[in-house]
């Protein structure tokens, strides 16, 4: 039985003070919780939130990471800088990075391999655009992003990889994939992992769902066999809306 893993991606929200306040509330509310939890504040709040979650059952995540280890990369943040702040998990290949900032599969893969080399847990995001779903290409897009994202990742490293299926049309739109539609892609993606790493690895990998997940739909999504958690955006910005998902 895979443990449910509920993660909050705060995106470009929260000043340092606001982030600390939310993190404090979550540490108190999730104490003793039976699932696995992570929060990913913006870079500017990582140091402060790191002090708050230290010693708690909430992992500290970053929303992105540079493809390179150091040097002339203005505006980028390296693996070592994140490690230095106590970051344990990095979200990579988020659709907002892919579509707004034009990150391609090769860049995502470079980041995945670098993050794993530095001992981070990686949440590799995959998901199709609305036009791709309507054209019947949802599976093909997720397959390509999964295969390319994991290229060169050794079987032994896979225990530090989580996949998040985030249909782009469901992110921040209030439209959620039905539990059945999401389950179909999750099952399909687990099959891809099985074809790459074998059944045992596929059975253990955590596949989160993301896209307008909230307290009202979380239980039905998480009841699906292959949906092992959530990567939450909007509803992760308040303890009142995030905590009920964590205990769904
Ligand atoms: P929303 O929950 O706001 O749809 O965002 C999902 C997401 O992109 C999490 O990474």
């Amino acid at each position: 039985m895979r443990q449910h893993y509920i993660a909050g991606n705060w995106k470009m929200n929260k000043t340092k003070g606001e982030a600390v306040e939310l993190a404090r509330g979550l540490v108190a509310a999730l104490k003793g919780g039976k699932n696995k939890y992570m929060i990913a504040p913006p870079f500017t709040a990582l140091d402060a939130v790191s002090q708050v979650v230290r010693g708690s059952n909430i992992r500290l995540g970053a929303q992105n990471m540079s493809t390179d280890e150091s040097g002339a990369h203005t505006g980028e943040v390296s693996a070592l800088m994140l490690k230095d702040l106590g970051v344990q998990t990095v979200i990579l290949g988020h659709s907002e990075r892919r579509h707004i900032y034009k990150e391609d599969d090769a860049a995502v893969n470079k980041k995945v391999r670098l993050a794993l080399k530095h001992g981070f847990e990686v949440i590799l995001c995959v998901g199709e655009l609305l036009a791709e779903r309507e054209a019947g290409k949802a599976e093909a897009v997720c397959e390509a992003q999964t295969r390319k994202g994991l290229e060169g990742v050794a079987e032994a490293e896979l225990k530090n990889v989580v996949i998040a299926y985030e249909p782009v049309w469901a992110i921040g739109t209030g439209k959620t994939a039905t539990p059945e539609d999401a389950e179909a892609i999750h099952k399909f993606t687990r099959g891809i992992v099985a074809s790459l790493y074998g059944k045992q690895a596929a059975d253990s990998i955590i596949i989160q769902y993301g896209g307008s997940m909230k307290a009202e739909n979380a239980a039905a999504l998480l009841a699906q066999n292959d949906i092992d958690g959530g990567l939450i955006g909007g509803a992760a910005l308040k303890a009142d809306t995030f905590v009920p998902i964590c205990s769904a």
Side-chain angles (χ1 to χ4, degrees), residues 7-11 91 94-96 125 164 166 170-175 209-214 231-236:
N9 173 10
W10 295 1
K11 306 191 180 183
I91 299 172
H94 191 279
S95 64
E96 287 147 20
C125 302
E166 299 205 314
I171 296 178
T173 58
K175 285 183 205 154
Y209 169 81
S212 298
M213 196 170 186
K214 38 190 180 286
L231 183 56
I232 326 295

Side-chain angles (χ1 to χ4, degrees), residues 171-195:
I171 296 178
T173 58
K175 285 183 205 154
T176 322
T178 64
E180 294 73 25
D181 282 348
E183 168 64 12
I185 298 282
H186 280 240
K187 193 170 178 190
F188 173 79
T189 304
R190 200 177 299 285
I192 303 295
V193 175
S195 75

Side-chain angles (χ1 to χ4, degrees), residues 33-84:
K34 63 180 184 342
N35 298 321
K36 181 174 171 181
Y37 310 113
M38 183 277 272
I39 52 177
F43 288 134
T44 47
L46 279 173
D47 198 13
V49 171
S50 180
Q51 320 295 325
V52 178
V53 298
R54 183 164 302 158
S56 78
N57 59 344
I58 304 178
R59 300 175 68 86
L60 184 66
Q63 301 172 17
N64 189 19
M65 192 195 84
S66 174
T67 48
D68 288 84
E69 286 189 311
S70 67
H73 295 278
T74 302
E76 291 291 294
V77 177
S78 79
L80 286 180
M81 293 167 186
L82 296 177
K83 207 186 268 186
D84 193 37

Side-chain angles (χ1 to χ4, degrees), residues 27 50 63 151 178 206 221:
V27 166
S50 180
Q63 301 172 17
E151 229 166 71
T178 64
I206 291 181
L221 286 159

Side-chain angles (χ1 to χ4, degrees), residues 22-34 37 57-58 239-240 242-244 246-247:
L22 175 55
R24 283 200 183 122
L26 294 177
V27 166
L30 298 178
K31 195 175 172 194
K34 63 180 184 342
Y37 310 113
N57 59 344
I58 304 178
D240 284 357
F242 189 59
V243 172
C246 292
S247 39

